[in-house]
Amino acid sequence: MKLVIDANIPAADACFGSLGTLIRVPGREITTAHLQDADALIVRSITQVNDTLLANSRLRFVGTCTIGTDHIDQAALARRNIAFASAPGCNAEAVVDYVLCSLLTLAERDGWSLSERTVGIVGVGNVGSRLQARLSAMGVATLCCDPPRAAVESLASEQEFHSLDALIERCDVLCLHAPLTHAGPHATYQLLNAQRINELAPGSVVLNAGRGDCVDGLALRSRVSGKGDISAVLDVWEEEPDIDAGLRDLVSLATPHIAGHSLDGKLRGTWLIQQALASLYGQWSELTFADICPPAALASLHLQHVLPPEDALRLCMRAVYDVRRDHDALQRQTLHRGMRKGFDECRANYPLRREFATLNVQLSGKAVALAGILRGAGFDVSSS
């Protein structure tokens, strides 16, 4: 079997080496020519898999090691009888880590407390539901908006859903985690449009770690550069990798579509696609996720004295991940290498990052009072 695989997918040899010959190609450079005699294609979100790419191929399988699938023309795959698999939920925990770290960084920088804010979550799927659960466990008020779920679940759901306009009216923070859809009653293309951006209350925070096209970037730039009374955190952008330099320079935190780029999330995505491909070819795989996931460099952290809760959260989070590093890297690389090359450079050479759950936080003395909020944020907590 010949497999064409995005060169930046980790653990490719361990996961796919026994299944066939691997041809590694940078994700944006995969072309029709690479696929002419390939049996399987393994990608991430930067590769557009459509009729043009698939022309004259003999592929039997396409897998994306990502949650999102809007870069895959599934109808085109179906017409060619090509099997498809994605990795829903593989990096959801990493995205939630990113959101919490970003919000607590802004809170520290701008002098407010997350515990006193109400967070609106737009899109309550793999990421949004986990974010809502962690924030609630941390004692942070949340409101959720998910019209497709609300329409299906109605009164049978324990989750209460609100309209986006209600979130804009009632929330201090708006986190977007919706998939990108262009048609139908629940289309999300420019869901946060100029009118809604103008309706945001002064002091609001907009965080988008879903899809760039869900936000009207020009309208957001106009609001931030004009009134300058709201803050924004953007990990996803319109026209990636040729993102708006003006907007990049205006938002509080600008990162290059890496919210889910933990090593754990990437490896989980690779492993899930390996399982799907092996199953398609009837090859039983004994490979487990633990087989390809290394131990964390920092296994534990010991807190012996009580700290203000959000200070303790920031201390533990930054021991694992600091979003400011990614913001600075995007600024530096796009300045020196140009927007497209710089953006992709950040992604292709992303530093090793683990998830909050890999850190055991040991608490003793009065610090045991922090157990609830730290455990709620996603850390492994033990007390003595």
Side-chain angles (χ1 to χ4, degrees), residues 64 92 112 142 185 198 269 327 331 348:
T64 180
W112 48 268
T142 61
N198 287 332
H327 170 85
Q331 300 289 336

Side-chain angles (χ1 to χ4, degrees), residues 325-344:
R325 177 197 63 188
D326 293 331
H327 170 85
D328 292 344
L330 180 62
Q331 300 289 336
R332 182 174 61 252
Q333 292 292 350
T334 52
L335 177 63
H336 292 160
R337 299 177 63 86
M339 191 60 73
R340 172 179 284 269
K341 288 185 178 179
F343 191 95
D344 282 347

Side-chain angles (χ1 to χ4, degrees), residues 270-319:
T270 308
W271 178 74
L272 288 170
I273 297 306
Q274 186 269 350
Q275 296 288 296
L277 181 58
S279 176
L280 175 68
Y281 280 89
Q283 299 185 31
W284 172 253
S285 175
E286 296 183 353
L287 186 74
T288 68
F289 179 61
D291 291 332
I292 63 171
C293 196
L298 180 64
S300 64
L301 187 68
H302 187 187
L303 298 183
Q304 303 177 73
H305 302 286
V306 71
L307 296 169
E310 292 189 12
D311 286 346
L313 284 169
R314 279 185 283 264
L315 174 66
C316 295
M317 288 178 181
R318 288 171 182 166

Side-chain angles (χ1 to χ4, degrees), residues 93 97 134 264 299 320 354-360 377-380:
E93 297 292 350
D97 290 353
R134 282 210 236 172
D264 309 79
V320 181
R354 303 307 298 268
E355 295 176 358
F356 291 175
T358 63
L359 179 65
N360 172 248
F379 296 100
D380 176 32

Side-chain angles (χ1 to χ4, degrees), residues 148-204:
R149 278 192 60 185
V152 172
E153 298 175 22
S154 188
L155 298 177
S157 174
E158 295 182 1
Q159 174 68 62
E160 183 179 4
F161 295 107
H162 304 267
S163 69
L164 176 55
D165 294 328
L167 265 61
I168 289 173
E169 180 181 352
R170 299 171 57 185
C171 295
D172 310 289
V173 178
L174 202 61
C175 294
L176 277 67
H177 302 289
L180 179 63
T181 54
H182 290 270
H186 306 309
T188 61
Y189 175 73
Q190 293 203 348
L191 182 66
L192 199 61
N193 55 25
Q195 178 180 341
R196 284 171 168 152
I197 288 170
N198 287 332
E199 290 173 350
L200 292 168
S204 295

Side-chain angles (χ1 to χ4, degrees), residues 14-339:
C15 286
F16 300 107
S18 64
L19 299 178
T21 301
L22 307 189
I23 307 298
R24 295 176 176 83
V25 185
R28 293 196 200 280
E29 299 177 18
I30 296 174
T31 67
T32 301
H34 293 115
L35 305 182
Q36 291 308 298
D37 57 349
D39 301 286
L41 171 64
I42 315 297
V43 300
R44 290 186 61 81
S45 60
I46 62 174
T47 303
Q48 296 297 315
V49 180
N50 49 32
D51 276 316
T52 301
L53 185 66
L54 298 170
N56 301 318
S57 77
R58 68 176 196 188
L59 288 173
R60 290 189 57 195
F61 176 87
V62 170
T64 180
C65 304
T66 60
I67 294 176
T69 60
D70 51 87
H71 57 295
I72 307 290
D73 186 342
Q74 295 185 55
L77 297 183
R79 287 193 297 271
R80 292 170 169 78
N81 198 31
I82 299 173
F84 173 66
S86 62
C90 66
N91 63 351
E93 297 292 350
V95 178
V96 177
D97 290 353
Y98 171 93
V99 172
L100 295 181
C101 189
S102 297
L103 293 180
L104 284 160
T105 295
L106 258 62
E108 180 183 44
R109 180 187 295 173
D110 297 337
W112 48 268
S113 173
L114 181 58
S115 64
E116 297 173 355
R117 295 284 177 118
T118 298
V119 177
I121 302 171
V122 183
V124 195
N126 280 307
V127 174
S129 61
R130 286 172 168 84
L131 176 60
Q132 194 274 336
R134 282 210 236 172
L135 286 170
S136 295
M138 294 164 60
V140 178
T142 61
L143 294 177
C144 294
C145 170
D146 194 316
R149 278 192 60 185
V152 172
E153 298 175 22
S154 188
L155 298 177
S157 174
E158 295 182 1
Q159 174 68 62
E160 183 179 4
F161 295 107
H162 304 267
S163 69
L164 176 55
D165 294 328
L167 265 61
I168 289 173
E169 180 181 352
R170 299 171 57 185
C171 295
D172 310 289
V173 178
L174 202 61
C175 294
L176 277 67
H177 302 289
L180 179 63
T181 54
H182 290 270
H186 306 309
T188 61
Y189 175 73
Q190 293 203 348
L191 182 66
L192 199 61
N193 55 25
Q195 178 180 341
R196 284 171 168 152
I197 288 170
N198 287 332
E199 290 173 350
L200 292 168
S204 295
V205 175
V206 173
L207 187 153
N208 190 9
R211 288 292 179 262
D213 286 336
C214 291
V215 175
D216 183 336
L218 288 177
L220 182 60
R221 186 176 71 176
S222 177
R223 176 69 188 267
V224 176
S225 65
K227 295 180 181 179
D229 59 351
I230 68 170
S231 301
V233 176
L234 296 183
D235 182 59
V236 291
W237 309 77
E238 296 170 302
E239 305 297 334
E240 292 180 16
D242 293 313
I243 68 173
D244 182 345
L247 184 57
R248 175 206 60 188
D249 293 340
L250 286 166
V251 301
S252 299
L253 289 170
T255 55
H257 202 153
I258 47 70
H261 271 34
S262 69
L263 177 63
D264 309 79
K266 290 179 181 180
L267 291 174
R268 199 174 292 115
T270 308
W271 178 74
L272 288 170
I273 297 306
Q274 186 269 350
Q275 296 288 296
L277 181 58
S279 176
L280 175 68
Y281 280 89
Q283 299 185 31
W284 172 253
S285 175
E286 296 183 353
L287 186 74
T288 68
F289 179 61
D291 291 332
I292 63 171
C293 196
L298 180 64
S300 64
L301 187 68
H302 187 187
L303 298 183
Q304 303 177 73
H305 302 286
V306 71
L307 296 169
E310 292 189 12
D311 286 346
L313 284 169
R314 279 185 283 264
L315 174 66
C316 295
M317 288 178 181
R318 288 171 182 166
V320 181
Y321 170 59
D322 191 342
V323 69
R324 297 172 298 183
R325 177 197 63 188
D326 293 331
H327 170 85
D328 292 344
L330 180 62
Q331 300 289 336
R332 182 174 61 252
Q333 292 292 350
T334 52
L335 177 63
H336 292 160
R337 299 177 63 86
M339 191 60 73

